[in-house]
Amino acid sequence: MSISLEHLYKSYGREPVLEDFSDVVPDGSLTALLGPSGSGKSTLLKMIAGLESVDQGRVILHGRDVTALPARHRNIGFCFQDYAPFYQLSVFENVAYGLKTRKMPAAHITKEVTELLELVHLGAFASRYPRQLSGGQRQRMALARALAIKPDVLLLDEPFAALDAQVGAELRAWVRSLQHELGITTLLVTHNQAEAMEVADRVVIMNHGRIEQVGVPSEVYDHPANDFVRSFLGPTTTFAGASVRPHNLEVTRSGEGVSAVVRDVIRLGFEVRVVAAPADGEALWLQLTHDEAQQLNLQVGENVTIRRRN
Amino acid sequence: MGRSPRWLRTLVILYVGLLVGVPLVFVFQRAFAHGAGALWTALQDPSMGNAIGLTIRVVLVALPVNTIVGVGAALWIVRHPSWLTRIIDRVIDVPLAISPIIIGLMLELAYAQNGWLGRPLAALGLQIIFSYPGIVLACIFVSLPLVTRQLIPLLREIGSNQEQTAASLGAGPVRIFLTITMRSILWATAYGVSLTLARILGEYGAVLIVSGNITDLTQTLTLNIGANFENYNAYQGFVGAGVLALTSVIILLLLGVARHRERKRHEHLA
């Protein structure tokens, strides 16, 4: 189900949070709202869910204007960053909550909840309580709870931010494959560009309550619309007066380019960072692969030539 | 958590013991001083019986009112903050800051038969001051913030994410309150209600002014105890004090058990 957001405005007091925000989230896509904290992305997500009022503009779900519709009638699955587990209820009761609210027959609820718990690999945890679960398990429980109502749209607020790096990485891959499997239109909010690039098939980059750029991850990464997007999506360095990606530079011992002195070589595994100072400019850095660095065998203090890769 | 230093524990035990424990023991000792027969007779004193009856009838109205208003006010202040709730958040503590006797005087001035609010009510045939409604009003007033004060920090700590999630799952406000909010605040509410009950049972100053302290009619148990001491009937006074103190101790014990159970449950789940 597609989501149309038309000229949305929101402010807290005199502080504008969203200014003239418009976007169409295509049916079945996994879109990431990416931006620094305070860019208005979480507020936007709550406005779509009906958990935050809209000052101006319209929220349209599959052609239907829901701007004034209370959250409970929108049939939208919403997951908070802290997963908001119902601590007083068991895992089973958590997932069953939306179905009980819809007054489904008990046998149907049991069947649905059992299937969902299997789907999120929590089948053995049905009678546990949220405090007995790890962060990753709580997140999967929250997902199952949101999916139980067969939502038209799934909204995830910073779904991986509270997890440690390894669990977060596993869950990202899992959420992505689950979303592909279910085909449910999903919008997730994140401040982590790597996360957005990895999970989403569409990225909306926000800053100060406005859209900076929208597109496929590789497209916005390779063709950033402005310096904000470029520096937000990945590392940059200044070469010949322009902002460039450090892996778009190469270093040689001969040929054309800017001559510089190697100041430092930092080996990070696959990536090797080289810090170099051109004779007439400020220091810059560039990224080489492990093999490239091995072949060049750069020494600190030696003179090299730096140029853009073709 | 490590143990606190021995001197600190000794100081606290001495402080609490000398201030609360020892005097409490003396009240019970005095009540039992003349043997079981005398105690049984004193317990059957009709005026004390009437006073206990009135106190119970006051509790039956004031306690539910302050529980419902207290929970509602806390939810309103925390979940829907505005300039109005900020004012109420300040004003709600007034009953704790003002001496009960002044509260009694305030109520009397407003609700007496020639008072600003009392006159129209009297025209409707409602007498507030020197009667049961005035006592209820005074008890509601003095114990107003106790439930709310327990709940405000807890509701802030819990946050509204669970409630908002429940809303997104299709639950309406009543269902959200019953299935989510109430389950989280149950024990804190019970604690606030117990404090409210203890406060109502023990209220003296405000009730003294608004009730007129008429024996057998508008005399609550505390007033009855006071009257017995004034009338050189100290033994009867000690028996009344013993009844009141015992009730309070029972309330505190039940509360202690409830809090302990809740903590145990949390530790178990953590």
Side-chain angles (χ1 to χ4, degrees), chain B residues 131-150:
Chain B
S131 91
Y132 172 71
I135 302 169
V136 172
L137 215 57
C139 286
I140 288 176
F141 199 120
V142 295
S143 61
L144 195 60
L146 295 174
V147 170
T148 307
R149 277 285 162 253
Q150 290 298 318

Side-chain angles (χ1 to χ4, degrees), chain B residues 24 26 54 64 109 150 163 170 175 191 234 237 252:
Chain B
L24 192 64
F26 272 113
L54 175 64
L109 286 173
Q150 290 298 318
E163 292 162 10
R175 185 171 159 76
Y191 189 66
L252 285 177

Side-chain angles (χ1 to χ4, degrees), chain A:
Chain A
M1 194 169 279
S2 64
I3 312 169
S4 295
L5 307 167
E6 298 182 353
H7 308 290
L8 289 172
Y9 285 83
K10 177 77 186 175
S11 60
Y12 293 128
R14 285 199 204 97
E15 197 67 35
V17 186
L18 275 184
E19 287 185 88
D20 195 18
F21 187 100
S22 296
D23 185 39
V24 176
V25 180
D27 187 22
S29 80
L30 203 177
T31 296
L33 291 172
L34 175 64
S37 60
S39 57
K41 54 198 192 304
S42 286
T43 304
L44 176 65
L45 206 66
K46 283 188 162 192
M47 285 161 81
I48 298 169
L51 300 172
E52 190 74 71
S53 65
V54 173
D55 288 354
Q56 267 184 61
R58 301 199 301 167
V59 177
I60 292 161
L61 291 182
H62 208 62
R64 180 179 173 216
D65 187 344
V66 298
T67 315
L69 197 68
R72 66 177 188 274
H73 298 310
R74 291 197 189 187
N75 204 41
I76 287 178
F78 193 97
C79 289
F80 279 96
Q81 185 175 353
D82 67 352
Y83 319 132
F86 300 148
Y87 287 107
Q88 319 289 335
L89 304 181
S90 69
V91 169
F92 184 94
E93 290 166 324
N94 264 273
V95 178
Y97 192 89
L99 301 174
K100 277 193 184 159
T101 301
R102 282 162 172 70
K103 301 209 161 50
M104 302 254 183
H108 177 75
I109 292 176
T110 308
K111 183 173 161 286
E112 291 277 309
V113 173
T114 309
E115 280 176 19
L116 274 164
L117 288 178
E118 289 301 328
L119 181 72
V120 301
H121 312 301
L122 285 176
F125 296 85
S127 56
R128 299 258 187 121
Y129 283 80
R131 283 182 216 278
Q132 298 169 303
L133 301 181
S134 71
Q137 290 169 334
R138 284 183 198 185
Q139 202 235 24
R140 285 185 271 135
M141 182 194 81
L143 264 175
R145 182 176 61 184
L147 290 171
I149 61 170
K150 297 203 163 42
D152 300 320
V153 170
L154 190 60
L155 305 178
L156 310 173
D157 190 3
E158 295 277 6
F160 312 107
L163 302 170
D164 62 53
Q166 202 178 341
V167 178
E170 284 170 20
L171 276 172
R172 283 204 289 272
W174 179 76
V175 164
R176 185 178 158 86
S177 68
L178 185 72
Q179 195 271 340
H180 278 266
E181 192 182 317
L182 301 176
I184 179 170
T185 311
T186 303
L187 206 54
L188 76 83
V189 155
T190 178
H191 64 275
N192 180 330
Q193 47 85 22
E195 189 175 299
M197 307 294 259
E198 182 183 339
V199 177
D201 45 43
R202 190 168 166 275
V203 185
V204 177
I205 296 151
M206 291 177 69
N207 193 27
H208 298 306
R210 292 169 180 278
I211 292 179
E212 296 283 352
Q213 195 175 359
V214 180
V216 175
S218 58
E219 176 189 311
V220 290
Y221 185 84
D222 290 334
H223 306 287
N226 53 44
D227 278 353
F228 171 81
V229 174
R230 187 195 309 277
S231 62
F232 193 74
L233 284 185
T236 58
T237 192
T238 307
F239 177 72
S243 178
V244 293
R245 298 247 182 262
H247 59 76
N248 282 340
L249 297 177
E250 67 179 337
V251 57
T252 59
R253 290 205 171 81
S254 59
E256 288 188 17
V258 176
S259 59
V261 181
V262 174
R263 283 280 158 81
D264 205 353
V265 180
I266 307 156
R267 294 165 199 283
L268 298 167
F270 174 74
E271 174 194 344
V272 176
R273 284 183 197 163
V274 177
V275 183
D280 57 345
E282 61 179 298
L284 58 85
W285 65 285
L286 50 95
Q287 288 168 309
L288 304 179
T289 66
H290 176 269
D291 288 358
E292 285 172 338
Q294 202 82 347
Q295 277 180 2
L296 281 164
N297 191 23
L298 293 170
Q299 301 300 316
V300 173
E302 92 174 270
N303 284 306
V304 291
T305 304
I306 295 170
R307 62 169 172 258
R308 283 176 190 261
R309 286 177 199 268
N310 294 318

Side-chain angles (χ1 to χ4, degrees), chain B:
Chain B
M1 221 183 331
R3 298 188 76 172
S4 35
R6 183 187 293 268
W7 65 267
L8 185 63
R9 274 182 286 151
T10 314
L11 188 72
V12 171
I13 290 168
L14 268 178
Y15 184 78
V16 174
L18 291 178
L19 228 62
V20 183
V22 175
L24 192 64
V25 169
F26 272 113
V27 168
F28 289 120
Q29 190 241 328
R30 281 302 193 89
F32 281 99
H34 300 291
L39 178 62
W40 182 242
T41 312
L43 282 172
Q44 287 171 310
D45 175 63
S47 292
M48 192 177 85
N50 285 329
I52 291 173
L54 175 64
T55 303
I56 291 172
R57 282 190 292 135
V58 169
V59 164
L60 285 179
V61 175
L63 195 62
V65 166
N66 268 1
T67 305
I68 293 165
V69 172
V71 172
L75 280 172
W76 185 34
I77 289 168
V78 176
R79 295 289 183 250
H80 306 281
S82 67
W83 60 271
L84 190 58
T85 61
R86 272 187 283 279
I87 292 172
I88 288 169
D89 194 12
R90 297 281 180 282
V91 171
I92 207 160
D93 280 337
V94 163
L96 291 182
I98 299 180
S99 162
I101 205 145
I102 297 170
I103 292 170
L105 287 169
M106 282 159 53
L107 289 173
E108 183 171 343
L109 286 173
Y111 288 96
Q113 293 209 339
N114 55 359
W116 190 71
L117 287 162
R119 203 193 306 266
L121 289 170
L124 294 168
L126 270 173
Q127 191 193 346
I128 306 292
I129 299 303
F130 304 141
S131 91
Y132 172 71
I135 302 169
V136 172
L137 215 57
C139 286
I140 288 176
F141 199 120
V142 295
S143 61
L144 195 60
L146 295 174
V147 170
T148 307
R149 277 285 162 253
Q150 290 298 318
L151 294 185
I152 286 177
L154 180 65
L155 284 169
R156 291 224 166 97
E157 188 196 318
I158 297 169
S160 59
N161 287 2
Q162 290 184 53
E163 292 162 10
Q164 296 198 333
T165 301
S168 79
L169 294 171
V174 175
R175 185 171 159 76
I176 293 172
F177 178 76
L178 292 177
T179 57
I180 306 296
T181 318
M182 204 179 75
R183 280 163 173 257
S184 309
I185 64 171
L186 202 58
W187 293 108
T189 308
Y191 189 66
V193 169
S194 311
L195 289 178
T196 307
L197 176 59
R199 187 78 183 81
I200 294 172
L201 289 178
E203 177 47 33
Y204 188 84
V207 170
L208 180 70
I209 304 284
V210 299
S211 72
N213 197 6
I214 309 159
T215 309
D216 293 328
L217 288 176
T218 64
Q219 201 170 62
T220 60
L221 185 52
T222 48
L223 295 181
N224 179 259
I225 294 164
N228 277 322
F229 280 111
E230 277 174 19
N231 299 331
Y232 306 104
N233 196 359
Y235 177 65
Q236 186 64 46
F238 278 119
V239 171
V243 170
L244 196 57
L246 190 66
T247 314
S248 303
V249 168
I250 290 170
I251 294 168
L252 285 177
L253 285 177
L254 286 176
L255 193 67
V257 172
R259 274 174 90 84
H260 181 69
R261 286 233 174 121
E262 178 65 3
R263 197 171 305 145
K264 266 266 168 101
R265 214 169 77 88
H266 271 288
E267 279 167 12
H268 172 67
L269 297 179

